[in-house]
Amino acid sequence: MSQDTLFDKVWDLHKVANLPGGSDQIFIGLHLIHEVTSPQAFGALKEKSLKVKYPQRTVATVDHIVPTDNQSRPFKDNLAEQMIDTLEKNCIEHKIKFFNIGSGNQGIVHVVAPELGLTQPGMTIACGDSHTSTHGAFGSIAFGIGTSQVRDVLASQTIAMSKLKVRQIWCENNLSNGIYAKDLVLNIINQLGVKAGVGYAYEFAGPAIRALSMEERMTICNMSIEGGARCGYINPDEKTYSYMKDKLCSPQNENWEKALKWWKSLESSDNCIYDDVFKLDASKVEPTITWGITPGQSIGVNQTIPSLNEIDPNDQFIAGEAYEYMGFKPGQSIKNTPIDVCFIGSCTNGRISDLRAAAKVLEHHKVAKNIKAFVVPGSEKVAIEAKEEGLDKIFIKAGFQWREPGCSMCLAMNSDKLIGNQVSASSSNRNFKGRQGSPNGRTLLMSPAMVAAASITGKVSDVRDFINK
Amino acid sequence: MSLKFKPPIGNFSQINGKCISLVGDDIDTDRIIPARFLKCIDFDSLGKSVFDDDRKTLKGNHPFDLETNKGASILIVNSNFGCGSSREHAPQALMRWGIKAIIGESFADIFYSNCIAIGIPCFTLPKESIKKIQKYLDFKNLFLEIDLFKSTAKSENFKFNLEIKETSKKMFLSGEWDATSKLLENTDLIENKLNNLPYINFNSSFE
């Protein structure tokens, strides 16, 4: 059993009680809510005549259902309008802070909370969304919960949960030029598999992780869940503190010094014990693309679709399903696969550095004929910053549509959807069957820079051909 | 006229029912309930939309459409069932279709907690046992009697020793799987915890 890791320290600090069934009652320091997984939780409170226990510890925004073209109210989609309206009413009734559209702070919940300084080291953070693991980039213990647990957090600020095991993922050496955090995390998931993380928290560590910016670290932790780990985290360091300094909700003045001292005490101790350690050489990572229907089915841009006998027997069934669904044959190159739609955005890769990386590739280029390309900033703040830097103009000039912030075609709950069996080059996190809104739509996950490269050629391309010239 | 669905409540130790087999690894919650059905403010109408994309693709040949599976309540699945999105809509949709228990090789973490929270016990069995059941179901109906206390599943021809997390088992046997009231019993401890967390005092507020 793990000992003295950051996970152990934060878990123990937040433990309220041992529950009779054997699980722990854990205090949730920050609860984030959005329109999709909260209405039924508020409904359940009403049914039980319960109140929100600590409304000041819950923060709301709207992201999943918002249209990214025309955000004027009421929304064209009645059901989407009903959902935002319900969230607005619930937040007013229960006195919960709500960052609505136009507030300057609306956006994808996992983009917004770090921007505001709400996400901090040493906190427990829960949200009815599996990508809550994103916040672990700051050394918080953050995980997705279902609606019944959202109800529990609203009612008690706690949940019942069994402690996770801890696996350290040590990333040796550094990523090469043209290789991004997305490529690294896709490689981690590919090597460990999509279920290896079940029952574990992942601690990402090593020189390659230390070298990443905070936004890149968020990309890594965000996709922990795609490797089965509900929670992923990185020990905080100077980069963490400098990102957080002077954010709206960060500690100020003498409190900053107090906080800093405490945060520095949270790091996994030198002699801590992990349940498991996995090592990976980051210098070997290539621009990586998924070819299948799970985020674990990925290859380097210059590799070919693996044949069944190259695949672990336990993964052969889903590989067979993937060949059929995606229309790929074993031995076929992934490079030059024709693309129909290019999507840049999501809680994985919708931050300012992602937009900068894509814009850098797109400058002086045009999107290929017949490609639909659009960019959806992760938040209103990201959109404002991008406009200040003139990134919006670069995207528009290249032929991208510039949209309003939201989750958009990552999960296609609004009108941004694939049609028929279109192939998308997507900077999002899931390539599941039907994920991007068409029951036979096909998703190739890659870094935002790789999406930009694909948009120029109209097919899967190596981004290094564009940036290393 | 359909009666309003009543979710399970209180303690139980026995689940008897007809099995339905769904073959495949890593079946994610987007497949169980596609995102377009999440545009709702309650769970009531989800049952009919379970596996909507997969069912449309298979044009009536999906297990959840087959006449022989009508009335089934024990779902037999393979590994990493329920991976991906945390949407509780997935087990809610399965439950509203009629599923009362799931037996599989393994389950994704969040899906598992969601099932437990709404009263669907998830049991595991080794790969070979699952294969055996699924093969049998290709040709015949199978009714299983699940004894939660003994962690066994029995039929005329089969007997399996099921695995279930001890915490989950205790919750169902005691009827304490509806967590909210249990958590609220510790109100003083919660208040105490809040007051003693380092960051509560040094954070700026957004008011």
Side-chain angles (χ1 to χ4, degrees), chain A residues 63-200:
Chain A
D63 51 12
H64 286 63
I65 52 95
V66 297
T68 59
D69 42 8
N70 179 359
Q71 297 193 326
S72 61
R73 301 280 302 274
F75 294 154
K76 263 187 253 160
D77 177 347
N78 290 336
L79 290 172
E81 177 59 29
Q82 184 193 27
M83 295 189 84
I84 188 172
D85 180 63
T86 304
L87 182 63
E88 283 168 337
K89 287 187 176 133
N90 282 328
C91 288
I92 292 170
E93 185 185 341
H94 297 279
K95 300 191 170 60
I96 290 167
K97 181 72 186 173
F98 176 38
F99 292 110
N100 206 341
I101 294 170
S103 64
N105 286 315
Q106 175 268 340
I108 307 174
V109 63
H110 311 308
V111 177
V112 165
E115 280 175 350
L116 287 167
L118 287 166
T119 302
Q120 295 177 12
M123 271 185 178
T124 44
I125 302 177
C127 173
D129 190 284
S130 62
H131 293 111
T132 308
S133 56
T134 310
H135 306 267
F138 292 80
S140 59
I141 295 307
F143 42 78
I145 55 178
T147 297
S148 295
Q149 289 189 308
V150 173
R151 172 202 65 203
D152 292 346
V153 180
L154 290 171
S156 73
Q157 205 58 40
T158 63
I159 58 166
M161 192 167 156
S162 297
K163 194 173 172 183
L164 300 166
K165 291 186 272 187
V166 185
R167 172 178 292 130
Q168 188 191 49
I169 297 175
W170 183 264
C171 301
E172 197 58 51
N173 299 320
N174 277 317
L175 295 173
S176 317
N177 192 25
I179 318 293
Y180 302 85
K182 180 66 152 288
D183 302 306
L184 176 58
V185 73
L186 284 173
N187 275 267
I188 293 170
I189 299 164
N190 174 265
Q191 291 188 27
L192 276 163
V194 292
K195 37 193 168 262
V198 174
Y200 281 90

Side-chain angles (χ1 to χ4, degrees), chain A residues 13-17 19-23 25 27 29 36 39-40 48 50 53-54 57 59 65 77 79 82-83 86 97 118 120 122-124 128-130 144-148 151-152 155-156 158-160 194-195 198-199 225 230 248-252 255 259 262 314 317-318 321 411 413 430 432-433 435 439, chain B residues 23-31 35-36 38-43 53-54 57 79-80 83-89 92 106-110 113-114 117-118 127 165-168 170-171 176-184 186-187 189-191 193-194 196-207:
Chain A
L13 177 68
H14 289 83
K15 185 164 160 179
V16 173
L19 291 168
S23 58
Q25 182 170 3
F27 188 91
V36 178
Q40 295 89 346
K48 290 170 189 268
L50 292 168
K53 193 166 178 64
Y54 300 115
R57 305 229 64 80
V59 176
I65 52 95
D77 177 347
L79 290 172
Q82 184 193 27
M83 295 189 84
T86 304
K97 181 72 186 173
L118 287 166
Q120 295 177 12
M123 271 185 178
T124 44
D129 190 284
S130 62
I145 55 178
T147 297
S148 295
R151 172 202 65 203
D152 292 346
S156 73
T158 63
I159 58 166
V194 292
K195 37 193 168 262
V198 174
I225 184 65
R230 196 172 183 173
L248 186 64
C249 301
S250 291
Q252 310 289 335
N255 281 334
W262 180 60
N314 287 319
F317 187 90
I318 186 92
E321 245 183 297
L411 86 166
M413 272 193 81
R430 287 183 175 140
F432 298 153
K433 283 182 174 179
R435 170 76 176 182
Chain B
V23 178
D25 296 321
D26 307 313
I27 292 181
D28 59 79
T29 53
D30 273 88
R31 278 173 73 182
R36 61 184 175 277
L38 272 50
K39 280 194 273 186
C40 55
I41 55 169
D42 55 44
F43 295 124
D53 284 352
D54 285 1
T57 307
S79 81
N80 201 27
C83 59
S85 159
S86 64
R87 60 190 71 168
E88 190 174 298
H89 305 67
Q92 291 279 3
S106 65
F107 299 92
D109 264 346
I110 306 179
S113 354
N114 285 339
I118 66 172
K127 198 184 185 78
K165 284 185 191 165
E166 205 54 32
T167 51
S168 315
K170 276 188 196 163
M171 282 163 83
E176 285 166 356
W177 50 272
D178 184 1
T180 322
S181 53
K182 235 21 256 143
L183 296 169
L184 281 170
N186 294 328
T187 293
L189 293 174
I190 297 171
E191 186 72 23
K193 181 55 76 184
L194 171 78
N196 286 303
L197 283 170
Y199 56 84
I200 299 294
N201 298 316
F202 54 55
N203 274 350
S204 304
S205 151
F206 41 71
E207 297 303 330

Side-chain angles (χ1 to χ4, degrees), chain B residues 38-74:
Chain B
L38 272 50
K39 280 194 273 186
C40 55
I41 55 169
D42 55 44
F43 295 124
D44 295 342
S45 59
L46 293 176
K48 60 182 188 303
S49 311
V50 71
F51 292 110
D52 195 72
D53 284 352
D54 285 1
R55 287 162 77 176
K56 280 191 179 137
T57 307
L58 290 178
K59 299 185 174 93
N61 289 319
H62 189 277
F64 277 68
D65 285 321
L66 296 178
E67 196 59 32
T68 75
N69 287 330
K70 245 194 182 151
S73 60
I74 300 172

Side-chain angles (χ1 to χ4, degrees), chain B residues 96-160:
Chain B
R96 279 164 170 76
W97 187 87
I99 299 302
K100 293 191 168 70
I102 313 180
I103 304 176
E105 289 172 43
S106 65
F107 299 92
D109 264 346
I110 306 179
F111 178 83
Y112 182 91
S113 354
N114 285 339
C115 285
I116 301 306
I118 66 172
I120 304 176
C122 299
F123 302 91
T124 55
L125 272 180
K127 198 184 185 78
E128 291 316 309
S129 309
I130 294 286
K131 270 203 176 141
K132 207 163 142 187
I133 300 178
Q134 288 180 329
K135 274 222 168 103
Y136 186 89
L137 282 167
D138 283 344
F139 303 101
K140 285 180 182 170
N141 281 332
L142 175 67
F143 290 84
L144 281 178
E145 290 176 14
I146 298 177
D147 183 321
L148 193 57
F149 186 75
K150 292 188 203 149
S151 298
T152 54
K154 276 191 310 190
S155 72
E156 271 181 10
N157 310 317
F158 292 116
K159 185 175 175 200
F160 297 103

